[in-house]
Amino acid sequence: MSEPTLFERIAQGDIPADIVYQDDRVTAFHDIAPQAPVHILVVPNRAIATVHDAQPGDEALLGHLLLTAGAIARDLGLDTSGYRLIVNNGPDAGQEVFHLHVHILAGRALGPIVQPPG
Ligand code: 5GP
């Protein structure tokens, strides 16, 4: 059995976090180092390292993850002002925590999707 990931430990309540939503499949909590006025992470309760580690049997879970992100955004009133969902995968994307997660970023104009080169 592998060590639980950081986000599994948060979902299990072993590491404190400011949780905004939880059910039997996903957990959402505020990012510890917010990059925007709203910065929430939505994670599956069990670890899937990246999108490309997900299996066909994870289809419903991944759909629930995205629907949950949308529901949280709507509950926060972000559906009119807008928000960005980001899923980083691997080194070039700067993925730090290898437990699939959706960033919800909002609360200001977020600028370009990626920094221009140079
Ligand atoms: P990634 O770069 O992997 O897409 O994003 C990982 C995110 O997890 C980062 O935005 C980082 O600030 C956040 N993070 C890392 N450690 C913790 C933690 O212990 N608690 C919370 N709430 N967020 C964390």
Side-chain angles (χ1 to χ4, degrees):
M1 193 91 173
S2 56
E3 286 289 302
T5 67
L6 171 64
F7 291 167
E8 280 181 297
R9 295 181 69 194
I10 287 175
Q12 290 162 4
D14 295 337
I15 291 179
D18 188 356
I19 290 177
V20 298
Y21 177 81
Q22 186 164 47
D23 64 25
D24 60 336
R25 290 185 286 169
V26 300
T27 300
F29 51 89
H30 289 280
D31 195 289
I32 203 168
Q35 303 297 308
V38 176
H39 189 171
I40 291 169
L41 304 175
V42 192
V43 313
N45 292 341
R46 66 174 167 81
I48 300 170
T50 70
V51 167
H52 48 270
D53 292 299
Q55 303 298 313
D58 296 320
E59 188 173 328
L61 176 60
L62 297 185
H64 184 56
L65 194 70
L66 201 56
L67 287 172
T68 299
I72 290 169
R74 195 171 50 246
D75 286 351
L76 293 174
L78 301 172
D79 45 337
T80 48
S81 54
Y83 55 95
R84 182 170 291 159
L85 303 181
I86 294 176
V87 181
N88 290 319
N89 285 273
D92 278 0
Q95 185 178 6
E96 294 173 1
V97 179
F98 282 79
H99 178 137
L100 176 65
H101 50 282
V102 178
H103 296 254
I104 304 173
L105 293 154
R108 63 172 169 81
L110 294 166
I113 294 173
V114 294
Q115 288 181 333

